[in-house]
Amino acid sequence: MRKHRGKPANSDLAELVHGSMAGELGFHLRRGQIAAFRQFARTITTTEGVTPGLYGMLQVIANNPGLSQSALAVAMDVDRSSIVKVVNQLEEKGLIVRDTSPTDRRRYCLHMTPPGVQALARIEQAVMRQDQDFSARLSDAERGTLIGLLKRLYRQDSETPANVRE
Amino acid sequence: MRKHRGKPANSDLAELVHGSMAGELGFHLRRGQIAAFRQFARTITTTEGVTPGLYGMLQVIANNPGLSQSALAVAMDVDRSSIVKVVNQLEEKGLIVRDTSPTDRRRYCLHMTPPGVQALARIEQAVMRQDQDFSARLSDAERGTLIGLLKRLYRQDSETPANVRE
DNA sequence: TATTGTTATACTCTATAACTATA
DNA sequence: TATAGTTATAGAGTATAACAATA
């Protein structure tokens, strides 16, 4: 998580021109996402020690109990080797457990622990509050519009037919 | 830049539930941005060898000729020590030059080279085309609405009074 | 004293490849 | 043969701290 630095002391940096990027959707998307990460870091990560990625992982485990590490890796869109350390951390924190699968001894079934469920419930409240604060400048209707437009954007990426490999 | 892997072979991963994240703006913002990065990687990075960050840096240099490395660092929101390697790369590629400042011998003035200008013009065309493709599912009006809503979101982050340090 | 660019160093996140134990 | 989890290793990308030259 990058630390958020304040405004620069150099006032001659204030009026930088961004050229054609000002018209690019990707540019504004990136900036919006960076702003969202920052606010998450200021509020949730500082108080709960959980990054957006870790929070997402907890939500996926909580909402899909018993899923394997490989399944979690796909859900998080990272390699399964990259999942190991993170799952270790969540386990060491006592938030989740690796149950051995009764049917396949290669595989772990990931579950929340009772303290994990409790922690997630608390974090979830904070995240939802923070998310509302973040979009405080938008009306409820505008917020809904924005989410709807974003979904239509990124779904084009995930609606590739499953039998087609790139 | 992360490589984009195709759909998983495991079909049991298709229906993962995301719980309360489905209602969080930050979640959809992140997914939208990841999708945008991916398309950029598929198109621009593959053909031009330029990441979104490098492209942004070239645009800032091109549109603010003579700026210092420190100014560029502020514009990119990274530490000035992190800028050195990237500026080296752009210089080695012959896209920019470090001119010594006539008034301050500590400082470099960054400028595009003629080949750099040419390369950026070509990349910019590709980026704008790619950006249009990315939002092909939106009408022009919807695209404008989306950009407008995003601006209102992230500007709350940058409209902090300059004299207030966090 | 403060600032600019630089270097050394470390940390995080991620990927690739190879290994093991299962299937 | 293929899959699940793991390890070793490497590469981005970034930060912090300290330094020399200059202001």
Side-chain angles (χ1 to χ4, degrees):
Chain A
M1 182 72 27
R2 179 192 299 159
K3 200 166 118 197
H4 182 205
R5 270 157 280 98
K7 280 265 179 175
N10 312 38
S11 55
D12 61 345
L13 304 173
E15 318 91 25
L16 282 178
V17 182
H18 289 95
S20 74
M21 287 198 297
E24 289 162 18
L25 176 57
F27 175 68
H28 298 289
L29 217 39
R30 184 161 74 244
R31 295 187 70 157
Q33 210 256 323
I34 288 171
F37 253 69
R38 261 185 199 152
Q39 173 153 333
F40 196 104
R42 268 201 298 271
T43 53
I44 313 298
T45 307
T46 306
T47 58
E48 300 284 354
V50 171
T51 59
L54 272 184
Y55 169 67
M57 210 166 281
L58 283 176
Q59 282 286 9
V60 170
I61 295 172
N63 287 282
N64 306 274
L67 88 170
S68 67
Q69 291 186 191
S70 290
L72 180 59
V74 171
M76 295 288 105
D77 195 37
V78 295
D79 192 86
R80 66 189 201 282
S81 69
S82 303
I83 284 287
V84 178
K85 189 187 281 184
V86 190
V87 169
N88 284 345
Q89 288 170 2
L90 294 178
E91 200 177 29
E92 282 159 16
K93 286 185 178 182
L95 302 178
I96 68 168
V97 284
R98 283 175 163 107
D99 289 343
T100 48
S101 166
T103 61
D104 185 342
R105 296 203 322 226
R106 292 172 303 182
R107 162 183 316 225
Y108 289 130
C109 296
L110 304 178
H111 285 285
M112 302 294 286
T113 62
V117 171
Q118 206 176 343
L120 180 55
R122 187 183 65 242
I123 298 171
E124 183 177 304
Q125 286 306 308
V127 169
M128 287 173 68
R129 214 179 308 121
Q130 170 268 341
D131 200 70
Q132 289 291 336
D133 287 351
F134 178 64
S135 56
R137 294 205 169 180
L138 306 185
S139 69
D140 283 355
E142 287 170 328
R143 182 192 156 94
T145 300
L146 178 52
I147 290 180
L149 290 171
L150 288 170
K151 276 186 183 174
R152 283 171 56 198
L153 265 190
Y154 68 70
R155 282 202 175 148
Q156 74 190 46
D157 202 59
S158 55
E159 273 176 2
T160 313
N163 54 337
V164 174
R165 303 302 292 257
E166 290 170 25
Chain B
M1 182 73 31
R2 180 192 299 161
K3 202 165 119 197
H4 181 204
R5 272 157 278 100
K7 280 266 178 174
N10 312 37
S11 56
D12 61 346
L13 305 173
E15 318 92 23
L16 282 178
V17 183
H18 289 95
S20 75
M21 289 198 297
E24 289 162 18
L25 177 57
F27 175 68
H28 298 288
L29 216 39
R30 184 161 75 243
R31 296 188 68 156
Q33 210 256 325
I34 288 172
F37 253 69
R38 262 186 197 151
Q39 175 153 331
F40 197 104
R42 268 202 296 271
T43 53
I44 313 299
T45 307
T46 306
T47 59
E48 301 284 354
V50 171
T51 59
L54 273 183
Y55 169 67
M57 210 167 281
L58 284 175
Q59 283 284 10
V60 170
I61 295 172
N63 286 282
N64 306 275
L67 87 169
S68 67
Q69 293 186 187
S70 289
L72 180 60
V74 172
M76 295 288 105
D77 194 39
V78 294
D79 192 86
R80 66 187 199 283
S81 68
S82 303
I83 283 287
V84 179
K85 188 187 283 185
V86 189
V87 169
N88 284 345
Q89 289 170 2
L90 294 177
E91 201 177 29
E92 281 160 16
K93 286 185 178 182
L95 301 178
I96 69 168
V97 284
R98 282 175 166 105
D99 288 344
T100 48
S101 166
T103 61
D104 186 341
R105 293 201 324 225
R106 291 172 303 180
R107 158 183 319 223
Y108 289 130
C109 295
L110 303 178
H111 286 283
M112 302 293 288
T113 61
V117 171
Q118 205 175 345
L120 180 55
R122 187 184 64 243
I123 297 170
E124 184 177 305
Q125 286 306 308
V127 170
M128 287 172 68
R129 213 178 309 122
Q130 171 267 341
D131 201 71
Q132 289 291 336
D133 288 351
F134 178 64
S135 56
R137 294 205 167 180
L138 307 184
S139 70
D140 283 356
E142 287 170 328
R143 183 191 155 95
T145 301
L146 178 52
I147 289 179
L149 291 171
L150 288 171
K151 277 186 183 174
R152 282 172 57 198
L153 265 191
Y154 68 70
R155 282 203 177 144
Q156 75 189 47
D157 203 58
S158 56
E159 272 175 3
T160 313
N163 54 337
V164 173
R165 302 304 291 257
E166 293 171 24

